[in-house]
Amino acid sequence: MKKKIAIIGGGIAGLTFARCLSHENYDIDIFEKKAQFGEIGAAISVFPNALCVMEELGLLNEVVSLKKFI
């Protein structure tokens, strides 16, 4: 039986946490108050420790490719 996990917030941390659990035996629901994702005109920083996690998840190249917005 899958364990149920509720993640509150679809920001970087919530989505990364969901990705971390996606290979395990979990039924994940992400709750976000916004109806859809999109640009809000704000900058974000991703620090080295977070980049290490992104690399382990196989997402680093995709994250680094977003530098075009810098």
Side-chain angles (χ1 to χ4, degrees):
M1 176 178 232
K2 289 187 173 188
K3 296 178 184 178
K4 291 185 171 242
I5 300 284
I7 298 174
I8 310 303
I12 292 172
L15 295 176
T16 302
F17 184 51
R19 174 70 177 180
C20 287
L21 297 177
S22 68
H23 300 294
E24 303 296 328
N25 196 22
Y26 296 104
D27 181 14
I28 302 166
D29 288 305
I30 301 172
F31 296 91
E32 172 58 46
K33 65 181 176 182
K34 296 194 184 285
Q36 63 185 18
F37 292 106
E39 293 181 35
I40 60 170
I44 62 166
S45 294
V46 181
F47 293 96
N49 287 346
L51 291 176
C52 290
V53 172
M54 297 292 179
E55 184 174 33
E56 284 198 32
L57 293 173
L59 299 172
L60 183 61
N61 290 336
E62 188 173 349
V63 170
V64 171
S65 72
L66 295 174
K67 69 181 181 181
K68 65 184 176 189
F69 296 110
I70 296 175

